[in-house]
Amino acid sequence: MKKAFFRFYEELNDFLPPEKVKTEFSHEFNGIVSVKDMIQSFRVPHTEVDMILVNRKSVGFDYIVSDGDRISVYPVFESFDIQQVQKLRPRPLRNPKFILDVHLGKLTRLMRMIGLDTLYRNLLDDEEIVEISIDERRTILTRDIGILKRNKAEHGYWIRNTDPNKQIIEVINRFQLKENIKAFSRCISCNSGLVEIAKEDYSEQIPEKVFKYYEKYYRCEGCGKIYWKGSHYDGMLKILDQIKSKLH
C-alpha cells in the first residue's frame, strides 16, 4: 500500500470532511493514479483547482502520484498573476460570461438584473452545459459538483450558498465583478441587451396607462420585451443596494 500526503488551501476546504480541513492528511492508495483522479476522489472538482505542487514542484493533472509524495492543492487565482507557474487550464476568463444549471434559476435573474451575461435554459443536461461553456467560453456555475468533475469542463465554480440573495454576493465577490455591475442593462427574461426607445414608436405595445405616466422605455434586442421604471423598479433598486452593501 502506497501513501501520499495532501494539503488543500482556502475555499477548496469547502469540499472536505472536517478532519481534513486546513491540515495535512495522509491518503493510502494502490496502483497507478493521476493526481487529478486522486484530488477528485476527495470530492474536489478539478475546475476549482489552479495549481498543484508535488514536493514543492508544479505539476499538471496528469502527474502520476508516487509513494511518499507531499501534495499541495490551490484554488483558482483571480487576483494574482502566476503565469510563471504551470497552470492547469486555459487562462482565466476575464470577460465574464456564465452558464448556470437548472438549480440556479433565481440566481440567473439577479445576475441579469445587475448586467452579467448569464445563459440559462432549464432543459440543458450536464453534457450540453459543458459543451456550451467551452464553445462560448462561459464559466459554469452550479450546485451539482458532478458537472464540474467532467473531464472536458474547463472553467466552473460550485455555488456554496443555497439562498439566491447570498449566492449573488458569493459570485460577485468570488469573481471580483464589482466593477462589472451595470444594472438594468440586460433582459431578465432572455439575457440580451436593452436599448432605449422612443415610446411613440411602440405605442401599440405599451399599456395605455403606462404610456401616459412614463417617458423612458427600453426594448430587449433579443425577445423584444419592453421595460419601463414602474412600481417594481423601486423594489429592484432596494435589492441592488443590498447587494452592493455586502460586496468586498
Side-chain angles (χ1 to χ4, degrees):
M1 184 73 71
K2 304 174 187 176
K3 183 182 291 187
F5 300 87
F6 279 84
R7 172 70 160 85
F8 288 83
Y9 287 84
E10 302 306 326
E11 61 264 29
L12 296 182
N13 285 279
D14 294 344
F15 301 97
L16 302 177
E19 67 273 13
K20 291 181 170 66
V21 169
K22 296 183 179 180
T23 188
E24 184 178 75
F25 60 89
S26 62
H27 176 69
E28 295 184 340
F29 66 100
N30 279 317
I32 299 174
V33 186
S34 71
V35 70
K36 177 182 178 180
D37 289 341
M38 200 169 286
I39 286 171
Q40 294 204 139
S41 73
F42 302 124
R43 296 186 71 250
V44 178
H46 70 276
T47 54
E48 296 215 7
V49 176
D50 210 30
M51 186 169 70
I52 304 169
L53 299 182
V54 177
N55 306 322
R56 299 185 179 181
K57 180 181 179 182
S58 177
V59 302
F61 281 128
D62 58 352
Y63 174 83
I64 302 301
V65 180
S66 298
D67 187 30
D69 277 347
R70 279 193 146 73
I71 302 171
S72 300
V73 188
Y74 296 85
V76 172
F77 292 87
E78 293 293 335
S79 302
F80 304 99
D81 183 1
I82 60 171
Q83 290 302 301
Q84 300 307 312
V85 182
Q86 178 177 330
K87 297 192 69 175
L88 306 174
R89 287 168 285 102
R91 291 174 63 87
L93 303 180
R94 300 315 301 169
N95 178 26
K97 299 192 296 183
F98 300 90
I99 181 169
L100 278 58
D101 72 6
V102 66
H103 306 289
L104 298 174
K106 292 182 179 179
L107 174 60
T108 296
R109 293 180 62 84
L110 290 174
M111 291 180 66
R112 290 174 178 174
M113 185 190 77
I114 65 173
L116 296 176
D117 188 342
T118 308
L119 182 61
Y120 173 86
R121 299 175 193 149
N122 58 13
L123 297 179
L124 292 176
D125 60 28
D126 291 359
E127 183 176 352
E128 290 172 318
I129 288 175
V130 173
E131 290 292 343
I132 292 172
S133 74
I134 295 171
D135 292 343
E136 299 185 12
R137 295 184 59 77
R138 292 180 179 273
T139 298
I140 300 169
L141 299 183
T142 180
R143 285 283 299 159
D144 179 6
I145 295 176
I147 298 178
L148 303 182
K149 286 186 175 182
R150 288 178 170 259
N151 287 332
K152 293 178 68 175
E154 294 178 351
H155 296 277
Y157 176 73
W158 179 62
I159 299 291
R160 274 64 167 174
N161 286 289
T162 56
D163 181 345
N165 294 318
K166 293 181 179 179
Q167 289 173 343
I168 187 65
I169 303 299
E170 179 182 347
V171 170
I172 296 171
N173 285 335
R174 178 65 186 84
F175 293 93
Q176 301 175 15
L177 299 173
K178 186 175 181 179
E179 301 303 318
N180 296 85
I181 293 177
K182 191 177 180 183
F184 314 120
S185 61
R186 288 188 177 274
C187 177
I188 292 178
S189 297
C190 80
N191 192 49
S192 298
L194 301 181
V195 293
E196 188 170 352
I197 58 174
K199 69 175 187 178
E200 291 78 13
D201 295 338
Y202 295 88
S203 58
E204 294 183 359
Q205 300 179 40
I206 301 172
E208 185 177 345
K209 291 184 178 179
V210 173
F211 188 89
K212 180 180 179 180
Y213 288 107
Y214 297 97
E215 292 302 319
K216 284 193 174 183
Y217 294 84
Y218 304 84
R219 185 175 184 271
C220 173
E221 295 181 295
C223 67
K225 185 175 180 179
I226 295 177
Y227 291 84
W228 59 90
K229 297 178 180 180
S231 58
H232 62 287
Y233 180 70
D234 290 337
M236 296 174 76
L237 282 178
K238 289 181 181 179
I239 294 174
L240 183 61
D241 287 341
Q242 291 172 357
I243 291 172
K244 289 182 176 180
S245 69
K246 297 178 181 178
L247 299 181
H248 293 163

